[in-house]
Every structure is written in C-alpha cells, then in structure tokens.
C-alpha cells in the first residue's frame, strides 16, 4: 500500500502532540526556575528540552530521508490516512487536447490541455470497528503537476470551466462519501507543448503536517506522485500494481 506517510498517522500525530505538551511543560518549569533563581534546575531543564527536541527532529529527519520519491502508474492507489480510515486516490485516465468545449464556451490551451481523471475511493477495509457507516468529508486537497525541470502547474480555471459547461467534470474531489463508495473527478491542466515526464501530486496542505514524523510534507521528505506518461523517470522508484 502506498500512502502519504511512512509512519502510521496516529503514531505520528500522538508523537507530535506529546512533544508539544512536553515542550510547554518544560518551558513553564524553566521559566519558574529562572524567576526563583534556581539556576542549576534551569540549566538541567534547558538541556532536557533541547535533548527532547533534538530527538524528535532527528527522528523526523530519519523518516524523511527514508521516504524515497515514488511515481505510481495508472490505476495504482495512493492512500491518505484520515486517522481512523483511508481514502484512496488513483489516476484512471489522461486525455490531451488543445481545446475544450464548443462555441462561446470553448477554451483554447496556451500549450496543451491535460484532462486527468482521478478516482477517489473510501477504502472500507481500513475503518475502525466503531466508526460506523457515516459519510466522510475529505480533508482539503491540493493538486499540481510537476514536469522534468521541476516546474509546477496548478489546474487551469479556464479549462476547468469549459469542461464543466461542455461535458461535465465529474464529482468534485471534496465530495463526502461513505465506506466502499467512490467517484471520479476530471482535473484540467494547461501544460507547455513538449512537456516531459509530467507527474501529478495530490496532497493535503497544512503547516502542522510539516512537523509530523513520516508525513510527506515534513522537511526533506519526498512525495508519492502519479505518472501521467508511459515512461518512468530515471532514478525514481516506479511502483506498479
């Protein structure tokens, strides 16, 4: 299973909350010691705080270095842990066109439109026994394409609007779903003609995720992306089903 973490998400979150709590308690005790001039106690407390932070960031760096970039092929799922369940995403189709729509609703690409069909699936095998069948609203997702040169491309608003008016763009990627349910969403990108080895990144943004051990957003951690071409990138781990 390919995921957005290489450490169990509940473990990473608990570790983050624990180190935050310990830091607050340690800082409070340090302040108390300094106010009452307990310098030896203050020094030992400062050392303990620095040691704890060093251990945490050392573990985070270790998991980040171990998190090699992966490029998944067509249909291979990337799972996002929502603590008590998983949402799985996969690229099921990629179409290229210079124009979308007809007549006044037509949009022309500056280069070439990539219409990427993404499937979202609520993996019912990953829910906790007590969760039930209630709907889940996906966390906010950010999608972007990266090319061989590292240039990044956001979805084209003009192309997305033209697709919606002409053919429909499927179900919005933020739509809630119940265990076992799935839907597809069409995402439109305007890429330069001749772009090489484009990959799609689906990610959950957030500042706090930058400090969670094993999360692909953490410092130095590589991500799990989707290939939009038939060729693999040299030196990358190319995962197939």
């Amino acid at each position: 299973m390919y995921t957005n973490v290489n450490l169990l998400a509940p473990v990473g979150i608990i570790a983050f909350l624990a180190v935050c709590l310990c830091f607050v308690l340690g800082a409070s005790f340090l302040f108390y010691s300094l106010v009452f001039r307990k310098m030896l106690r203050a020094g030992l407390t400062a050392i303990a705080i620095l040691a704890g932070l060093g251990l945490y960031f050392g573990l985070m760096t270790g998991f980040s270095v171990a998190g090699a970039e992966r490029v998944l092929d067509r249909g291979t799922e990337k799972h996002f842990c929502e603590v008590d369940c998983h949402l799985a995403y996969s690229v099921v189709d990629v179409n290229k066109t210079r124009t979308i729509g007809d007549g006044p609703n037509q949009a022309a690409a500056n280069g070439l439109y990539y219409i990427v069909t993404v499937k979202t699936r609520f993996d019912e095998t990953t829910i906790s026994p007590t969760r039930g069948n209630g709907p889940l609203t996906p966390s906010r997702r950010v999608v972007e394409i990266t090319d061989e040169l590292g240039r990044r491309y956001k979805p084209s608003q003009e192309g997305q609007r033209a697709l919606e008016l002409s053919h429909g763009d499927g179900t919005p990627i933020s739509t809630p779903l119940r265990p076992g349910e799935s839907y597809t969403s069409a995402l439109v990108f305007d890429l330069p003609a001749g772009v090489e080895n484009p990959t799609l990144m689906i990610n959950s943004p957030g500042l706090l995720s930058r400090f969670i051990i094993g999360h692909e957003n953490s410092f130095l951690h590589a991500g799990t992306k989707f290939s939009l071409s038939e060729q693999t990138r040299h030196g990358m781990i190319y995962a197939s089903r």
Side-chain angles (χ1 to χ4, degrees):
M1 179 186 295
Y2 303 101
T3 68
N4 65 326
V5 294
N6 61 342
L7 176 67
L8 290 175
V11 176
I13 293 173
I14 290 173
F16 174 76
L17 294 176
V19 78
C20 288
L21 177 60
C22 290
F23 177 78
V24 170
L25 293 176
S28 299
F29 191 72
L30 175 61
F31 178 76
Y32 171 84
S33 299
L34 291 174
V35 168
F36 289 95
R37 299 185 181 278
K38 306 289 185 179
M39 305 312 295
L40 177 59
R41 184 181 299 173
L44 293 175
T45 302
I47 292 173
I49 292 174
L50 293 175
L53 291 176
L55 175 61
Y56 184 84
F57 282 102
L59 287 172
M60 190 174 72
T61 301
F63 275 89
S64 294
V65 172
E69 178 171 312
R70 298 181 182 275
V71 181
L72 309 182
D73 68 358
R74 198 74 54 85
T76 303
E77 292 181 329
K78 173 183 178 180
H79 287 241
F80 283 76
C81 182
E82 301 282 353
V83 182
D84 64 345
C85 54
H86 282 187
L87 292 181
Y89 294 84
S90 59
V91 171
V92 296
D93 196 15
V94 180
N95 291 297
K96 305 173 188 177
T97 181
R98 294 193 179 277
T99 61
I100 298 176
D102 300 300
N105 295 326
Q106 186 180 81
N110 294 319
L112 190 65
Y113 279 133
Y114 275 60
I115 304 176
V116 183
T117 303
V118 174
K119 179 180 179 180
T120 303
R121 183 177 69 89
F122 191 157
D123 188 348
E124 72 278 12
T125 66
T126 61
I127 63 175
S128 63
T130 59
R131 189 194 179 281
N133 194 48
L136 170 69
T137 299
S139 301
R140 189 166 73 91
R141 305 293 186 219
V142 171
V143 293
E144 64 179 12
I145 287 178
T146 305
D147 66 13
E148 183 75 14
L149 300 178
R151 295 175 297 189
R152 297 182 176 184
Y153 308 91
K154 299 293 185 181
S156 167
Q157 294 183 0
E158 183 181 14
Q160 200 77 46
R161 188 181 306 111
L163 182 65
E164 181 179 355
L165 292 174
S166 57
H167 305 292
D169 54 357
T171 303
I173 202 169
S174 59
T175 302
L177 66 178
R178 298 178 186 275
E181 292 182 340
S182 65
Y183 54 75
T184 59
S185 310
L187 309 174
V188 182
F189 298 84
D190 188 350
L191 304 185
V195 67
E196 296 184 1
N197 297 322
T199 57
L200 175 71
M201 168 62 87
I202 302 176
N203 200 1
S204 295
L207 179 62
L208 292 182
S209 63
R210 301 281 290 174
F211 301 96
I212 294 178
I213 297 174
H215 199 288
E216 67 181 350
N217 288 345
S218 61
F219 297 102
L220 303 179
H221 201 297
T224 298
K225 304 177 180 181
F226 300 94
S227 174
L228 302 182
S229 61
E230 296 180 357
Q231 300 295 322
T232 64
R233 289 204 279 179
H234 180 69
M236 298 300 182
I237 298 175
Y238 190 73
S240 59
R241 288 185 295 174

